C-alpha cells in the first residue's frame, strides 16, 4: 500500500469537516475570511514542511521506501509527505469554525465586545 492511498481516508474526513465549516461560515457571512485564513495557514504549513522535511531527510533522520511512494519529489521529500499538513489544515479549520466560529461580539459573560467599545467611546466624549 502506498502512502498516497493511506492518506486518502484522512483527506476525505478532513474535506468533510472543512466543507461543514465552510457551510457554517457562509451562513454567518464569513466565507471569505474562512477561506483566506485556511489558504494562508495551508501555504505556511506546506512551505515549512518542504523546508524542514528536506533538512531532516538530508541529515538522514528518516527516509521513505521507494516501493511506497509515487516517485514525484520536491527536493528529497515525496509529494505524499504534503498530504499530512493539508489534511491537518482542512480538519482544524473546519473544526475551529464549527466549534468557535459562532462567537461574535466578544465575551458574552463579561460584557466585552460591541457594548464595551461603545461605552469606552462615550467616556471619551464626556
Amino acid at each position: 500500500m502506498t502512502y498516497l492511498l493511506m492518506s486518502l481516508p484522512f483527506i476525505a474526513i478532513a474535506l468533510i469537516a472543512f466543507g461543514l465549516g465552510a457551510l457554517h461560515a457562509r451562513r454567518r457571512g464569513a466565507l471569505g475570511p474562512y477561506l483566506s485564513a485556511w489558504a494562508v495557514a495551508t501555504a505556511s504549513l506546506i512551505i515549512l514542511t518542504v523546508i524542514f522535511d528536506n533538512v531532516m531527510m538530508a541529515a538522514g533522520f528518516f527516509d521513505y521506501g521507494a516501493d511506497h511512494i509515487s516517485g514525484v519529489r520536491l527536493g528529497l521529500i515525496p509529494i505524499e509527505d504534503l498530504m499530512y499538513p493539508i489534511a491537518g489544515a482542512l480538519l482544524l479549520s473546519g473544526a475551529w469554525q464549527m466549534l468557535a466560529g459562532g462567537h461574535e461580539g466578544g465575551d458574552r459573560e463579561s460584557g466585552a465586545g460591541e457594548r464595551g467599545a461603545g461605552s469606552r467611546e462615550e467616556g471619551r466624549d464626556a
Side-chain angles (χ1 to χ4, degrees):
M1 178 176 277
T2 65
Y3 292 113
L4 184 61
L5 286 175
M6 288 188 329
S7 299
L8 289 179
F10 299 103
I11 292 287
I13 291 168
L15 280 169
I16 291 168
F18 183 77
L20 292 172
L23 289 173
H24 188 262
R26 184 174 167 218
R27 279 193 301 244
R28 292 182 45 239
L31 184 59
Y34 173 72
L35 295 175
S36 62
W38 172 79
V40 169
T42 302
S44 301
L45 285 170
I46 288 172
I47 290 167
L48 290 171
T49 299
V50 168
I51 292 169
F52 289 109
D53 283 10
N54 270 298
V55 169
M56 289 187 290
M57 286 186 75
F61 294 154
F62 65 93
D63 198 357
Y64 290 90
D67 297 339
H68 302 291
I69 61 173
S70 66
V72 178
R73 292 182 178 260
L74 287 172
L76 297 174
I77 68 167
I79 198 77
E80 294 90 343
D81 202 19
L82 299 178
M83 292 295 174
Y84 309 114
I86 291 170
L90 288 167
L91 180 65
L92 292 176
S93 295
W96 186 269
Q97 177 64 35
M98 289 185 289
L99 296 174
H103 299 293
E104 298 178 20
D107 185 8
R108 294 173 195 234
E109 289 185 24
S110 70
E114 293 179 22
R115 289 179 300 178
S119 62
R120 280 191 298 261
E121 288 186 22
E122 289 172 7
R124 272 188 247 153
D125 292 339

